[in-house]
Amino acid sequence: MIDKRVPSLSAAIEGIKDGAVILIGGFGASGIPVELIDALIDHNARNLTVVTNNAGSGHTDIAKLLASGNVSKIVCSYPRSAGSVVFEELYAAGKIELELVPQGTLSERMRAAGAGIGGFFTTTGAGTRLAEGKETRVIDGKEYVFEKPLKGDVALIKADSADRWGNLTFRFAARNFAPTMAMAADLTIVQARQIVELGEIPPEHVMTPGIFVDRVVEVPAPVHAGQPS
Amino acid sequence: MTAKPLSRDDIARRVGKDIPDGAYVNLGIGLPTLAANYVPSDREVIYHSENGILGLGPSPGKGEEDLDIINAGKQTVTLLPGASIFHHTDAFAMIRGGHIDLALLGAMQVAANGDLANWSTGDEKFPPAVGGAMDLGAGAASVWALMEHTTKDGQPKILERCTYPLTAAGVVDRIYTNLAVIDVTPDGLMVREMAAGLEFDELQGKTGAKLQLANDWRVIEV
């Protein structure tokens, strides 16, 4: 029997090692797996690389993870936004390394990792400073930049519904990076608002098939990032 | 007659008139988002958001906000009937694959060859942030840049070569400012419209690249 359900948040993040590359879903505050991030902070793995679109806001969730001192590098497209105070302080103090990646390239690099593609050429970034040091090629008269796949050891995902096979649905635009990250990590960990019986999610409504998911924990009333709990 | 520069709203009003019926459009944060308010009501335009939405509607009423329905600027929005939601990689395939007909982007600088700079002043004091700007610049089928014609202290923002780091090279098709509407053509910058009362020499004086005045140029109407 396949049963990807785990009984607790601590069981969900068990085994994450020092030095791991952690993909974290979310765009702005939507889709941030707040409870899994809190469990990761408690788990206290060190020297992590975090891949996520924004570098947190205020002092909760991703910002709290950065403030824990356990993140040595962040890979993201837009680290600076209203309230990204924790990241900005760490960056100014030289305590965190930043790899800035255009948003579509960030997503496509993870898709490549998930799909077994060894890299790709894109026009995004061609002729800019983010292409410096990268291989370029002119294809049909246009300049392209070579980008490598971006693989995670772990992905932390917030879903709406899940079943014990790991099939997932997402709420509105909280989907954002989650399906791509789920396929790009060796260990994909999901917090779902509800775990339902097999078959309750109509097959054609499954947004991420369970093959990309390893663990599912139910978090019935998840905190929306940045909102009071 | 003294020149009458356009207000921010008037720039948005002028741009709105040019957004074609049936277009898939991505709006940058700020001035571009304003332009959507001024598209003639008989046109059907589908707005795209990089976080996985086609069919963005107007801002929600008070108390009707849903925190999982947001735009690229992280503001709550609404979904029109017919809207769709998809994941990030698809959202960016739409941009990078040339499926988005038109991107309206704010700009810090635009060069005569269509180079766009809108993500960084190159100031190392601040951590850089790029978001989807490079994808939109490189990928959208057409790119219009919206901006004030000069900086607050009067320095030109339309230049022979951008001095700020580029967002994308040779991509801008059209520039809308508070003083003019300018096409970026293979022969250089072609002024199509000027603000009422503005002389061409005065416009050229506020521009860091050579301009040409179209034979059929007009006064900007808003």
Side-chain angles (χ1 to χ4, degrees):
Chain A
M1 180 169 132
I2 298 170
D3 191 354
K4 298 180 179 178
R5 293 173 295 179
V6 294
S8 66
L9 284 158
S10 60
I13 47 89
E14 192 180 87
I16 296 178
K17 294 193 176 72
D18 289 359
V21 176
I22 316 272
L23 317 179
I24 303 180
F27 178 90
S30 181
I32 301 273
V34 174
E35 286 78 5
L36 282 176
I37 293 168
D38 284 342
L40 177 64
I41 294 167
D42 292 342
H43 177 68
N44 207 26
R46 317 274 304 169
N47 192 29
L48 301 174
T49 293
V50 165
V51 182
T52 191
N53 191 59
N54 306 105
S57 184
H59 295 274
T60 58
D61 52 272
I62 289 172
K64 189 173 164 193
L65 176 62
L66 301 183
S68 73
N70 285 347
V71 179
S72 51
K73 180 178 176 182
I74 188 160
V75 182
C76 67
S77 87
Y78 210 84
R80 194 151 46 90
S81 47
S84 59
V85 285
V86 171
F87 167 77
E88 286 177 50
E89 275 175 26
L90 290 168
Y91 184 85
K95 288 182 177 164
I96 192 162
E97 183 189 342
L98 169 68
E99 182 181 342
L100 190 74
V101 183
Q103 200 171 151
T105 296
L106 182 67
S107 189
E108 194 66 24
R109 285 179 64 195
M110 290 188 280
R111 197 196 82 86
I117 294 167
F120 55 91
F121 285 94
T122 178
T123 57
T124 296
T128 76
R129 70 171 49 167
L130 295 191
E132 281 169 17
K134 291 177 179 164
E135 185 186 344
T136 59
R137 186 181 294 182
V138 174
I139 303 171
D140 292 338
K142 261 190 152 178
E143 186 174 313
Y144 287 72
V145 184
F146 183 70
E147 297 284 357
K148 287 183 181 169
L150 176 55
K151 192 173 171 53
D153 296 304
V154 176
L156 303 182
I157 300 298
K158 180 186 186 181
D160 190 53
S161 294
D163 62 27
R164 68 174 169 84
W165 282 7
N167 294 312
L168 306 179
T169 70
F170 303 96
R171 193 172 179 280
F172 293 115
R175 189 182 323 186
N176 56 66
F177 284 92
T180 301
M181 288 178 169
M183 68 195 290
D186 288 333
L187 176 67
T188 293
I189 304 170
V190 174
Q191 64 167 82
R193 182 183 60 82
Q194 60 174 0
I195 296 182
V196 299
E197 292 298 319
L198 288 182
E200 275 191 55
I201 305 172
E204 71 273 31
H205 292 180
V206 171
M207 296 174 189
T208 287
I211 191 169
F212 297 129
V213 171
D214 298 285
R215 297 176 188 170
V216 177
V217 61
E218 192 171 61
V219 178
V223 172
H224 194 93
Q227 300 293 311
S229 49
Chain B
M1 189 171 153
T2 44
K4 263 190 72 184
L6 276 66
S7 66
R8 251 174 93 74
D9 268 316
D10 281 346
I11 301 174
R13 205 170 265 128
R14 175 63 195 83
V15 174
K17 288 203 284 192
D18 285 353
I19 297 178
D21 188 33
Y24 290 94
V25 178
N26 185 292
L27 301 173
I29 295 164
L31 189 50
T33 302
L34 266 184
N37 297 336
Y38 299 111
V39 176
S41 58
D42 60 344
R43 292 182 204 170
E44 200 162 45
V45 175
I46 298 184
Y47 295 104
H48 169 273
S49 190
E50 63 189 20
N51 54 316
I53 299 175
L54 272 176
L56 290 183
S59 301
K62 213 165 165 54
E64 287 169 11
E65 303 91 346
D66 187 310
L67 298 176
D68 287 328
I69 304 177
I70 59 173
N71 63 15
K74 281 79 168 187
Q75 299 157 310
T76 53
V77 289
T78 52
L79 301 174
L80 295 178
S84 56
I85 289 178
F86 33 88
H87 64 76
H88 236 82
T89 312
D90 279 352
F92 276 88
M94 291 174 196
I95 296 170
R96 294 151 67 106
H99 307 280
I100 298 299
D101 298 308
L102 177 60
L104 265 53
L105 301 175
M108 296 171 178
Q109 294 178 339
V110 177
N113 63 355
D115 286 358
L116 170 70
N118 76 348
W119 73 284
S120 167
T121 60
D123 187 338
E124 306 282 341
K125 278 204 303 280
F126 303 105
V130 66
M134 288 188 178
D135 305 283
L136 284 161
S142 194
V143 175
W144 295 351
L146 281 53
M147 61 183 190
E148 300 288 323
H149 203 87
T150 59
T151 63
K152 286 197 180 77
D153 55 359
Q155 295 303 307
K157 297 169 74 169
I158 299 173
L159 305 166
E160 286 297 340
R161 287 283 174 272
C162 294
T163 57
Y164 290 155
L166 292 193
T167 304
V171 298
V172 175
D173 299 293
R174 197 161 226 227
I175 309 165
Y176 293 85
T177 77
N178 54 333
L179 297 181
V181 178
I182 301 170
D183 279 339
V184 181
T185 77
D187 302 324
L189 298 173
M190 184 68 70
V191 178
R192 300 288 179 195
E193 300 180 19
M194 287 195 293
L198 185 66
E199 298 291 336
F200 179 71
D201 288 350
E202 199 180 344
L203 181 67
Q204 181 64 76
K206 292 172 188 286
T207 309
K210 189 179 176 326
L211 299 175
Q212 301 170 67
L213 187 61
N215 291 330
D216 58 349
W217 78 273
R218 298 187 309 181
V219 169
I220 300 179
E221 289 174 27
V222 294

